[in-house]
């Protein structure tokens, strides 16, 4: 009996010590990942951190002119391609059916690319996998952003400034990409915001007015809402979902299957939104719940008048 009494408490103490060490190790890993992924240094992993990291991955930034020339050169003469680049595929006479096919091919291609990342992430590796998590996340969302840029260009959006300036990227581009990711994941308000941006561009709203709406005007609250939604998701992904793949004996096929299944629906949602815009279809006049273009213009003009 005396041996049992001594052994019992010792076993409980050993278990408690093991649990404490595991918790300390998890917190240490979490802090290391935050340090790597917290690009703006505010102590949090946020969507802008992910976008900045993703845009720095080689091959993620898409040159609009180069991409459109490559997509259309097989079936169209140079004069048509030049018109596509100068305006939009729709205004150059390209049918929606052809644009849809190119968009579907793009989604399929990017889906296959990103699924390879997920398979690698799911391979056994234990704690050693932790070091790869930031890079894997950046690449995953990088392919999301690469697909988004291509789809936007096919459906009529002008070139975005994805060139890094110092440690940051153009705020207008960041906010448009934020909205695109919001559309892909079904975040409230993102779809209407994207359609309103397209309508403003299709109606010839000056870029400076649209930039103001994206950075401090009508559309900016939606940008902040999408970013906030992703902030919660980032925490869950980085510190829960992605860690599961680092546990030994978890096969790569699991991660591959999850990513392969989820990537296409996200891209399909963005494609569906882009198809019903003024840029993709010049005859499109919008839905009842769209943000009025006049609201963007009037608000920004009022702000300029007040500051005069």
């Amino acid at each position: 009996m005396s041996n049992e009494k001594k052994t019992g408490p010792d076993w409980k103490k050993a278990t408690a010590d093991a649990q404490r060490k595991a918790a300390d190790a998890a917190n240490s890993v979490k802090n290391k990942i935050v340090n790597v992924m917290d690009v703006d240094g505010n102590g949090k992993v946020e969507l802008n951190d992910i976008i900045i990291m993703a845009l720095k991955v080689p091959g993620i930034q898409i040159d609009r002119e180069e991409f459109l020339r490559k997509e259309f050169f097989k079936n169209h003469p140079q004069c048509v391609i030049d018109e596509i680049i100068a305006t939009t595929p729709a205004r150059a006479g390209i049918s929606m059916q052809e644009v849809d096919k190119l968009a579907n091919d793009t989604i399929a291609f990017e889906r296959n690319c990103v699924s390879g990342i997920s398979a690698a992430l799911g391979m056994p590796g234990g704690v050693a996998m932790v070091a790869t998590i930031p890079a894997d996340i950046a690449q995953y969302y990088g392919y999301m952003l690469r697909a988004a840029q291509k789809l936007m260009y096919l459906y009529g959006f002008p070139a975005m400034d994805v060139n890094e300036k110092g440690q940051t990227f153009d705020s207008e581009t960041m906010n448009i990409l934020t909205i695109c990711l919001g559309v892909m994941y079904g975040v409230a308000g993102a779809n209407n915001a994207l359609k309103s941006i397209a309508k403003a561009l299709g109606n010839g709203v000056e870029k400076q007015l649209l930039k103001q709406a994206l950075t401090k005007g009508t559309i900016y609250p939606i940008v902040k809402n999408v970013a906030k939604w992703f902030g919660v998701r980032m925490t869950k992904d980085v510190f829960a979902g992605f860690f599961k793949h680092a546990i030994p004996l978890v096969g790569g096929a699991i991660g591959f299957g999850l990513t392969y299944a989820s990537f296409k629906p996200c891209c399909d949602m963005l494609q569906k939104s882009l198809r019903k815009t003024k840029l993709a279809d010049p005859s499109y006049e919008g839905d009842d719940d769209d943000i009025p273009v006049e609201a963007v213009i009037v608000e920004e003009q009022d702000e300029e008048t007040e500051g005069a």
Side-chain angles (χ1 to χ4, degrees):
M1 293 291 292
S2 60
N3 288 337
E4 289 180 349
K5 289 180 180 179
K6 291 180 180 179
T7 302
D10 287 345
W11 177 82
K12 290 180 180 179
K13 183 177 183 300
T15 300
D17 288 343
Q19 291 175 339
R20 177 179 53 79
K21 289 179 180 179
D24 290 344
N27 286 330
S28 177
V29 168
K30 183 185 296 186
N31 291 335
K32 288 179 180 178
I33 291 179
V34 168
N35 289 337
V36 173
M37 300 185 69
D38 180 21
V39 179
D40 60 11
N42 68 352
K44 302 177 183 178
V45 178
E46 299 172 312
L47 183 57
N48 65 307
D49 296 319
I50 303 301
I51 292 177
I52 291 172
M53 289 181 65
L55 288 176
K56 291 181 178 180
V57 175
I60 298 304
Q61 299 181 21
I62 301 299
D63 181 281
R64 178 180 180 271
E65 179 175 343
E66 180 181 336
F67 169 69
L68 291 177
R69 287 191 185 281
K70 183 178 179 181
E71 292 300 303
F72 290 101
F73 88 96
K74 291 182 180 179
N75 299 317
H76 299 281
Q78 188 62 50
C79 60
V80 173
I81 295 174
D82 290 341
E83 181 67 14
I84 290 171
I85 293 168
T87 58
T88 69
R91 292 191 180 279
I94 306 301
S95 68
M96 182 69 77
Q97 289 76 15
E98 181 175 353
V99 173
D100 285 343
K101 182 181 184 306
L102 292 173
N104 291 334
D105 291 345
T106 291
I107 293 171
F109 176 80
E110 300 300 335
R111 183 191 198 190
N112 288 331
C113 289
V114 77
S115 297
I117 298 171
S118 183
L121 180 61
M123 293 300 290
V127 177
M129 286 297 298
V130 170
T132 71
I133 289 174
D136 287 320
I137 294 175
Q139 289 186 65
Y140 176 79
Y141 282 99
Y143 279 104
M144 281 280 191
L145 294 175
R146 191 166 82 158
Q149 291 172 79
K150 290 182 176 182
L151 292 174
M152 290 174 75
Y153 294 153
L154 285 172
Y155 288 104
F157 270 74
M160 292 184 290
D161 185 2
V162 290
N163 295 312
E164 184 180 9
K165 298 176 179 65
Q167 296 298 315
T168 62
F169 291 84
D170 180 81
S171 58
E172 178 186 5
T173 297
M174 289 282 290
N175 289 348
I176 289 178
L177 292 176
T178 295
I179 290 173
C180 282
L181 287 173
V183 173
M184 293 171 114
Y185 283 89
V187 182
N191 183 60
N192 289 341
L194 184 64
K195 290 163 65 177
S196 297
I197 292 170
K199 188 173 183 179
L201 289 169
N203 286 345
V205 172
E206 293 182 13
K207 186 176 181 181
Q208 185 59 33
L209 289 177
L210 183 60
K211 183 174 183 178
Q212 290 174 354
L214 277 163
T215 55
K216 62 180 181 179
T218 309
I219 301 173
Y220 186 56
I222 299 175
V223 174
K224 292 197 295 183
N225 182 59
V226 172
K228 181 179 179 181
W229 184 92
F230 268 96
V232 176
R233 181 183 175 87
M234 290 297 104
T235 301
K236 291 181 179 179
D237 277 354
V238 174
F239 303 133
F242 275 87
F243 279 146
K244 293 178 183 177
H245 296 296
I247 300 174
L249 304 181
V250 174
I254 297 176
F256 176 89
L258 290 174
T259 304
Y260 193 81
S262 64
F263 188 85
K264 186 177 186 299
C266 288
C267 291
D268 286 346
M269 287 184 69
L270 179 60
Q271 181 187 15
K272 182 179 179 181
S273 181
L274 290 170
R275 289 183 85 256
K276 291 183 64 179
T277 67
K278 187 79 170 178
L279 293 173
D281 179 5
S283 65
Y284 176 76
E285 293 300 330
D287 296 328
D288 293 339
D289 56 353
D290 287 354
I291 300 171
V293 174
E294 294 76 11
V296 176
I297 301 172
V298 172
E299 178 174 329
E300 298 308 325
Q301 287 179 340
D302 287 346
E303 286 186 11
E304 290 182 349
T305 302
E306 291 174 3

